Amino acid sequence: MKLFYNGLAALMAAVVLSGCASVGKGVAEAFLEKQQATDTRLCEIWGKPFNGLAPYLDNQHGKMKVLMVHGVGNHLPGYSTEFVEKLARELDLPVMAREYKTISLTDRFKQGKDLGNLRITRLLSKDLHKELLFYELAWSAITAKQKDVLAYDNSGEYSFRRAEVNDLMKKFSNNTGPDPIIYLGDSREDILVSFAQAFCWMTKSNWDKLPDDVTQACSFNDDSDISNLFNDHYAFVSHSLGSRITIDGMQRIASLINNRDADFRDAVRQKEIPVYMLSNQLPMLQLGLKLPEVSKQQAAYCRPKGEKYAGRILTKMPLIAFSDPNDLLSYAIPHGFVDKYLDSRLCIEVTNVNINVASIFDAFGLGKLANPLDAHVGYAKDDRVVALIAKGLGNKNTSKIVKDRCRWVETID
């Protein structure tokens, strides 16, 4: 009988505790849902107006071509699909080519070297008058083999000894942590060549003449590039380490451009190429790098009356740097950084976007909390970020969500 009452007591205790847990969970969920009901995430912008992609989609004025460069971690082709689809909706491009095209990148001088993958998607308006070619660069194949040295740490021999959450965090660290270190080593040149190859393919002939499912190197030494360079419009979208790769890649092209013919140099010098940097890391990744070949001379190279204006690489490179304050790996671009640390010939102009892409919660009186991982990877999913890239700021096309949800402080010279 005693055993029966003890068992009954245990059962009742379990029911009570279960009920308390359910009530507690319900209270917690209701509390969090209430906080999510009104989206008060900040969006603050400091900089000049910019156009976004929308004004350049009309085929009569050349093609609009966008290159995406990913950050740390292994990335398979297709990693940008969610972003591409959101961008297409924002730009009202509901038509897509039935199949994308892929090019396995390699070095012109070392044929057969694996420099990653370039995947091209064609997006069009319903009447086919507007077009966007989206180039997705997956360069992580270059660093993947070197990270095999840590593969043992992900095996059952070691991983089962960790708590489950810690094991997930350690595997994430093993996948992403080595990339900035590898980038500062011998693989840096291969990654920059991969970027240059992707940019080279952007300047090539349009969709119908692009190769597909091939391993092939691209060369700028082709006269057919010139008309495309004059007529087409280009933009980069980068994430975390990809921002450093994009800037270093353009600085590398700047160092080589004097070896090209005058027509090529003139075509590039007339271009304005914006870079939309998601989770910008330029300040952190500047650590340990040498200063650029040309710095602290922006006025001389970038103003039409400057004494070195003819020696510029681009007419302008606007950097739109998106940073979530709760992203532990992201930084705004501070005053004076561009002048000291980036090549003056790129004529860089900065817009800082301070934006919460991760939700912030009140942790039951313990303080405000935001998931730092969501804050690092959530940019491409955020409607405000996509709207700014698609339709810009301070122009007639600016999206309603940006006007309603973002505070803009316009800067002037």
Side-chain angles (χ1 to χ4, degrees):
M1 184 64 69
K2 183 177 181 181
L3 182 61
F4 170 76
Y5 282 116
N6 287 343
L8 182 61
L11 179 61
M12 292 177 66
V15 171
V16 171
L17 289 174
S18 176
C20 290
S22 297
V23 171
K25 182 179 179 182
V27 171
E29 288 179 345
F31 183 78
L32 295 178
E33 287 173 0
K34 183 178 180 181
Q35 295 188 64
Q36 288 181 312
T38 303
D39 190 347
T40 59
R41 294 175 301 163
L42 67 80
C43 176
E44 301 172 325
I45 306 170
W46 294 269
K48 295 181 178 180
F50 59 93
N51 291 325
L53 307 179
Y56 309 107
L57 298 177
D58 192 330
N59 280 331
Q60 294 180 353
H61 304 292
K63 307 293 183 183
M64 180 70 238
K65 300 177 178 179
V66 178
L67 173 65
M68 188 161 196
V69 185
H70 69 72
V72 296
N74 295 331
H75 287 70
L76 296 175
Y79 68 84
S80 67
T81 300
E82 182 177 9
F83 173 72
V84 171
E85 291 182 356
K86 289 180 74 70
L87 189 64
R89 285 194 294 271
E90 184 67 26
L91 290 170
D92 193 22
L93 300 174
V95 179
M96 179 183 295
R98 183 178 61 182
E99 296 181 356
Y100 50 79
K101 294 189 176 186
T102 61
I103 302 172
S104 296
L105 303 177
T106 190
D107 194 323
R108 287 178 56 216
F109 304 104
K110 297 178 182 178
Q111 295 289 329
K113 175 178 279 193
D114 185 0
L115 294 181
N117 177 273
L118 187 65
R119 174 166 159 164
I120 306 104
T121 303
R122 188 187 189 197
L123 305 167
L124 301 113
S125 59
K126 197 71 174 177
D127 60 8
L128 306 184
H129 288 164
K130 295 181 179 181
E131 179 177 3
L132 172 67
L133 294 181
F134 190 92
Y135 296 71
E136 175 203 82
L137 173 61
W139 55 263
S140 59
I142 298 171
T143 61
K145 292 182 180 179
Q146 296 182 61
K147 288 188 285 188
D148 284 346
V149 71
L150 298 178
Y152 75 93
D153 193 52
N154 296 333
S155 70
E157 183 179 0
Y158 293 88
S159 64
F160 88 96
R161 305 179 193 279
R162 306 184 190 111
E164 288 85 350
V165 174
N166 295 69
D167 185 48
L168 290 172
M169 293 173 65
K170 189 63 181 297
K171 288 177 178 177
F172 176 79
S173 175
N174 288 342
N175 179 35
T176 60
D179 283 319
I181 301 171
I182 295 172
Y183 179 67
L184 295 177
D186 293 339
S187 292
R188 172 185 168 87
E189 182 65 15
D190 283 347
I191 294 172
L192 295 183
V193 171
S194 178
F195 172 85
Q197 282 289 302
F199 182 58
C200 181
W201 282 116
M202 286 179 75
T203 68
K204 288 296 177 182
S205 56
N206 298 317
W207 176 259
D208 292 336
K209 295 184 180 180
L210 277 171
D212 182 28
D213 196 22
V214 298
T215 299
Q216 188 173 334
C218 178
S219 173
F220 285 113
N221 296 315
D222 184 344
D223 291 340
S224 66
D225 298 339
I226 303 302
S227 61
N228 292 325
L229 278 170
F230 274 114
N231 297 321
D232 292 343
H233 305 279
Y234 306 97
F236 301 122
V237 178
S238 60
H239 183 261
S240 67
L241 178 59
S243 299
R244 185 77 252 179
I245 292 169
T246 299
I247 293 299
D248 290 349
M250 291 305 295
Q251 290 182 159
R252 180 180 179 275
I253 291 172
S255 68
L256 301 174
I257 200 167
N258 285 332
N259 297 329
R260 291 303 317 277
D261 59 72
D263 288 341
F264 182 90
R265 294 197 303 270
D266 290 343
V268 175
R269 283 171 181 158
Q270 295 185 37
K271 307 309 294 182
E272 176 177 332
I273 305 180
V275 186
Y276 301 94
M277 295 182 163
L278 314 181
S279 185
N280 167 57
Q281 294 182 357
L282 288 184
M284 181 177 69
L285 295 173
Q286 180 60 42
L287 302 176
L289 293 182
K290 295 180 180 178
L291 294 177
E293 182 180 340
V294 179
S295 63
K296 297 183 179 180
Q297 301 181 59
Q298 192 158 4
Y301 280 99
C302 302
R303 294 179 181 175
K305 294 183 179 180
E307 62 270 26
K308 298 182 180 180
Y309 186 66
R312 70 194 186 283
I313 301 303
L314 299 170
T315 293
K316 187 190 299 183
M317 176 176 271
L319 301 188
I320 297 87
F322 295 86
S323 301
D324 187 324
N326 296 303
D327 179 355
L328 303 182
L329 298 174
S330 182
Y331 301 82
I333 299 178
H335 175 74
F337 181 87
V338 169
D339 194 42
K340 182 176 181 180
Y341 294 110
L342 302 182
D343 197 305
S344 299
R345 295 170 295 176
L346 293 175
C347 299
I348 291 172
E349 185 176 275
V350 173
T351 295
N352 278 307
V353 183
N354 188 30
I355 185 169
N356 289 141
V357 296
S359 297
I360 300 175
F361 301 105
D362 186 336
F364 302 100
L366 299 177
K368 300 291 185 179
L369 174 68
N371 185 331
L373 181 59
D374 288 345
H376 184 63
V377 301
Y379 297 89
K381 302 176 183 179
D382 191 285
D383 291 339
R384 298 160 299 169
V385 173
V386 174
L388 283 164
I389 294 172
K391 297 181 178 178
L393 178 70
N395 63 71
K396 64 179 182 180
N397 296 317
T398 302
S399 293
K400 185 176 186 299
I401 191 173
V402 173
K403 294 177 181 178
D404 293 345
R405 298 280 306 283
C406 297
R407 183 177 71 90
W408 174 35
V409 178
E410 183 175 2
T411 60
I412 59 175
D413 294 329

